[in-house]
Amino acid sequence: MTGTPLDPDAAAAAKGEAEEQARAQRNLGWHLLWKTLLEQKRALILGVAIGVTWTAAKVAVPQLTKHAIDRGIEQNGPLLAWSVFIAIAGVATGLLTAGRRYLAFRESRWTETLLRERIYAHIQRLHVAYHDKSQTGQLMSRASSDLQQVQQFVVMIPITLSNVAQLVAVTVILSLTDWRLAIVALAPLPFINVASRRFSSRIHPAVLAVQNEQAQLASVVEESVSGVRVVKGLGTEQVQFDKLRKEADDIQRVSLKAAGIRSRFLPAIDLLPSLGLIAVLGYGGHRVINGDMSIGDLVAFNVYLTMLVWPLRNIGMMVALGQRAAAALVRVHEVLSTEPAVKSPEKPRQLPPRTSATQTGAVRFESVHFGYDVDREILRGFDLAIAPGESVALVGATGSGKSTIVRLLLRFYDVTNGRITIDGVDVRRLDLGELRRNVGVVFEDTFLFNDSVRNNIAFSKPDAEQSIVERAARLAGAHDFINQLPDGYDTQIGERGYSLSGGQRQRVAIARAIVADPRVLVLDDATSAVDPSKEHEIRDAMRTVMSGRTTIVVAHRPGTIALADRIVLLDGGVVAAVGQHRDLIESSERYREVLAAWAVRDAESDAADGSGIAETRGSIAAPTGGD
Amino acid sequence: MFGMGAGVAPEDQLDRSQTRRVLRRVLRMAYPFRKTAYVSLGCVVVTTAATLAAPILVRHGIDAGIRANDVYELNLSVGLYLVITALAYGFGRLQYVFLNRTGEAFLRELRLKVFAAMQSQSMAFYDRNKAGVLVARMTADIETMGELIQWGLLQFLASGFLVVLAFAVLFTLSWELTLVVLIVFPVIVIASVKFQRDSNVAYLSVRERVGQNLGTLQEGIAAVRVIQAYAQEDHQIKRFQRSNRSLFDSHVRSIRISTWYFGLVEFSGVVAASLVVGIGGWLVHRDAVSLGTVVAFILLLSSLFDPVQQLSQLYNGVQSAAAALHKLFGILDSEPEIGEAPDAVDLPRRGVLEVNGVTFTYQAGTHPALKQAEIVVRDGERIALVGPTGAGKSTLAKLMARLYDPSIGSVSYGGTDLRRATLASLRERIVVVPQEGFLFNGTIRENVRLARITASDEEVEAALARLGILDHFERLPDGLDTEVRERGSRLSAGERQLVALGRAALVDPAVLVLDEATSNLDPGTEAEVEAALERLMQGRTTIVVAHRLTTVQRADRIVVVDKAQIVEVGSHAELLERNGKYAALARAWEKSHAL
Ligand SMILES: Nc1ncnc2c1ncn2[C@@H]1O[C@H](COP(=O)(O)OP(=O)(O)OP(=O)(O)O)[C@@H](O)[C@H]1O
Ligand SMILES: Nc1ncnc2c1ncn2[C@@H]1O[C@H](COP(=O)(O)OP(=O)(O)OP(=O)(O)O)[C@@H](O)[C@H]1O
Ligand SMILES: [Mg+2]
Ligand SMILES: [Mg+2]
């Protein structure tokens, strides 16, 4: 809390409201778990039943031991029979332990598995703006470490219930045997429970802190390794080393703190039961000497006391585990209850069918406004109509919003004003799947999956025939180099596989878009890493792909721009100029600037002199001229 | 607790002599920490002895006190028991404190050493070892070690100590009952060993699938834009479900293994007790043992069985930690390929960059990526490297900055072989802006400052201003303090490259190597940036790898690389004249310009 609230009542009310809200959220989290567990109720109930039966067998053993000592040994009774009874109880506890363990672990893993799938499916459908703001690592921990906390809690449910049963049974038996001794012997035990609970809640933040520091160290290492070219190129090894030293120091510090907490609690928790045992020996011993109880009872007391140690610890832990699971469930619920901001409409409209007779793929941007942040508009009334089958080159300076337009067309984001239509249908009225199947994009940074080349290319149609995949690869100029890979189309690529060069990656991505066979094809600077001679080949192939298909090309190289029927210059969030390259070079100052086109113009005029390519150093030195 | 947390893959398993060597080396490395280590060991011994003393005192209390009706003996036992418990508590606390102090100090040392060793490696090392593996060395492997050092090793000794001592005590109490215990004992030992072996296998499969599942999860999140763009959500969800279910299956297998084991342990414990009661009682009748002895046996049973279980778990832990250490030592022992010679000298301030008959191979047995390269770059000269994809341009550029050392031949600056230069002077004189402008998590300002960590805010801004790109970034809502997010995803592709270029403008090198550092920029910005860089580099040596004609034309000399060889060198005009490879390349460019 900051500052002194002027009105204490209002502050209290606000605080109460916050607590109310936190409680409501926790309830939602529990509700989520409850619903998941209901699906497994049969196995869980069975687990609890087995657990309680186990308790009965377990509690019987010291009783039998006691009788064996008192009647068998001390009074020369039927010793063998008592031993056999104990052995039978041994068989029963063995079997029941196994059953309880199996059911508890299996069901808890199942809960975890189901919830993880729900989270993954939900994440896949969340809008891109959500992903912009969330970090991969955080979403990962929702589906991994948070669910682990839930699992650890669920596994304890049958175990804790049988522990409680055991606790009650033992207390009753001991009180019936000798209530005075029972009070003395049991007195230290509640402290075990209190201590474990306190320990769990203290150690948890400490352990989290250790994990957190370890994760920070891991990210320093990850960064230094992935960015090793930058680190070495600039010679900043020392900087990274200093960062690492800081993290290593932090780990040491927080680990020692955690060790301090352990040292304060663990020996005490280990030794508290001894106090009960000492009490039994001292007080109980005197009672036996006085003839108030039997030695068998004394031994049984001892055994029962040791039997209670684990249940008491577990129950203490359970409380802390429950708190942790509740917090984890709240976080999980938060993800699952986030509504995708971009989703298919209730009653989607259909795009007109694609037949060879009618030309489809008309795209219109109607006075589109958009900004990622409210205080900065990237597009300020972008207007553009693209005819079916037409190809348009989108040109603009770095950061002008070209890729943004592509993302809007895919409906990664919704426009803040205006609208975008395909074949006359507003993209917001279309089913998302339908829209995206009809718009195929090659992004500027190529993402390849850890999978075979074939599966990467056939991404949009996993069952596509090999011939289709190969045709796409050929058109993208990738077939030749793929054939030279160790396993051809079956070569595993991606981060964990064979590393492709920048140019090769881009060609695989282009092939991926060709396989999708979209109505509208978008190439976002898709050939920047392909060398010009190769690009030339691809370009010829691209003509085939583009014919009869609406295409939007974002490019910087004149040769690629030349693929288009029309060129659109994006500047200041609006269309600054439209036309043919030649006209624009003549008429648009900004176009010349963006393309650094003075060089080309010189080259063209010089070409007439027959020298081929002009010496342009002079003109470069004085770039933009009168601006 | 090691328990299910440890495992060694068969290929990582060390043989006995390897294990011994590794452990000996650890002891040597731990030598500086020996004082605290001895103290911890002492604490462990005292605590263990106290655990064992308790049942003996109970026996004494029963036999000499209760059954003999001797109150004094009973009270003596109780008093001693109290004292021992207090001792165990005090030493138990000390044990934690000292063990962790020793362990954490050792681990810190190990982290720093391994990281330093990694950093002193050349790029070739990073080519051989995938990023994920190196990160695992620094994290998972060291953490495994941590568990071993913090309590595993000493606990291992303590448990062994406890088992031996417990048997000794049992034997002196009653050899007959010891024999009875020995009937059940092997069952536990064999079961524990088998359980450890099986659960090791099961654990490895769980670990592998957890890794796989996390990988699929991570890929699914990282690729969410591509997946949505191609409307493949359902397919990806199914793919994840498959990997998730196979993880579940693997969990269930491992649960089954622990199920029978824990059942059996529980069963054996009770059966052992029944045998001790039955046979012990019979012996009591014949006055061969005392009743107190029987009770002591029942109580001692658990301090016998627990350590055996622990021992077999710990053995696994020791093994997996030894395997982890072995890998870490592998890194510590690898000769730094880009090390500093003992007689290293500073590079001169200015000079000629000379490539002398350099041949370079990335991996032994593969074709050289560069053959017999020969070139002299004059001080202040501007050189462009051109050629088709995979020709070896980047390779040559990297060799010139000593990111790799030549396999044959040498690279020298101002007459000093780069291999004899001090690393500090090398990185000060020669700076590389690599092909992919890698951005680190943090703000734009921090990313630029990376080039010279001591630079002030003003200097960072001045560097960007000199490139003419400061305005652009200042127009962002948070200006230079904009968080670039993961790998710079908040910025446009060109903006990311501008940040990387800003780094180059912040340092003041004698030689600047730009490897396609402007490929994502629009030609206008590119020309501006390059012109600015050219002004900055006035009179300094520049080496540019480029795919654009305009860039290439401005170079003093052009070096054409083709099929791992330098095939042509000369100015733009000269090379056109020669009508060779460059002229052909230029014509291709020409075509891409012509409309
Ligand atoms: N996810 C995002 N969140 C906030 N701002 C963004 C985001 N992505 C891009 N921007 C900003 O929006 C502007 C336009 O970005 P965009 O990627 O559309 O540029 P571009 O024209 O494609 O540039 P380039 O040629 O460099 O690829 C840039 O200034 C960029 O910083
Ligand atoms: N780290 C590496 N490990 C093994 N081989 C490599 C490595 N880097 C490059 N190569 C191989 O060496 C050859 C030359 O690669 P280099 O990166 O120098 O090409 P380049 O001329 O820069 O091409 P590009 O224009 O695509 O950047 C290629 O055949 C490439 O496959
Ligand atoms: Mg872009
Ligand atoms: Mg290269």
Side-chain angles (χ1 to χ4, degrees), chain B residues 374-440:
Chain B
E374 193 75 59
I375 182 172
V376 180
V377 183
R378 288 188 302 276
D379 184 23
E381 200 180 17
R382 191 182 163 91
I383 293 281
L385 301 181
V386 298
T389 300
K393 305 179 295 290
S394 301
T395 307
L396 180 56
K398 284 185 260 183
L399 284 161
M400 284 172 155
R402 207 192 168 203
L403 288 183
Y404 295 88
D405 279 335
S407 316
I408 306 174
S410 68
V411 182
S412 65
Y413 182 71
T416 309
D417 191 327
L418 295 188
R419 279 172 292 204
R420 285 201 48 238
T422 55
L423 284 179
S425 73
L426 176 72
R427 298 291 175 232
E428 209 177 297
R429 306 278 186 278
I430 309 178
V431 161
V432 191
V433 181
Q435 201 158 356
E436 62 285 356
F438 187 93
L439 295 200
F440 295 81

Side-chain angles (χ1 to χ4, degrees), chain A residues 132 372 376 378 397-404 407 413 444 556, chain B residues 476 485 490-495:
Chain A
D132 283 348
Y372 293 95
R376 181 161 172 256
I378 308 285
T398 284
S400 56
K402 304 178 294 296
S403 304
T404 305
R407 294 178 198 131
Y413 307 87
E444 51 197 346
H556 295 314
Chain B
L476 297 177
R485 298 205 191 125
R490 158 72 179 75
L491 301 180
S492 86
E495 286 166 344

Side-chain angles (χ1 to χ4, degrees), chain A residues 125 249 445 532 559 581 613, chain B residues 108 234 496 553 589 592 595:
Chain A
R125 301 213 158 87
D249 287 344
D445 9 51
H581 179 70
I613 294 167
Chain B
R108 174 177 178 276
D234 291 336
R496 286 200 287 274
Q553 284 172 325
W589 273 325
S592 83
L595 297 168

Side-chain angles (χ1 to χ4, degrees), chain A residues 190-253:
Chain A
F191 291 103
I192 298 184
N193 184 287
V194 173
S196 340
R197 198 164 60 208
R198 207 172 277 174
F199 171 65
S200 282
S201 57
R202 294 254 170 97
I203 196 72
H204 183 235
V207 167
L208 276 189
V210 173
Q211 282 171 354
N212 189 13
E213 294 297 343
Q214 283 174 342
Q216 284 180 18
L217 178 124
S219 70
V220 171
V221 177
E222 208 271 334
E223 231 177 45
S224 323
V225 173
S226 312
V228 68
R229 280 174 192 80
V230 175
V231 172
K232 289 225 180 282
L234 297 171
T236 58
E237 281 97 341
Q238 191 58 41
V239 177
Q240 294 302 110
F241 189 78
D242 289 343
K243 275 195 209 166
L244 185 103
R245 187 178 15 228
K246 183 184 161 293
E247 297 307 337
D249 287 344
D250 285 351
I251 292 185
Q252 187 180 21
R253 187 172 42 78

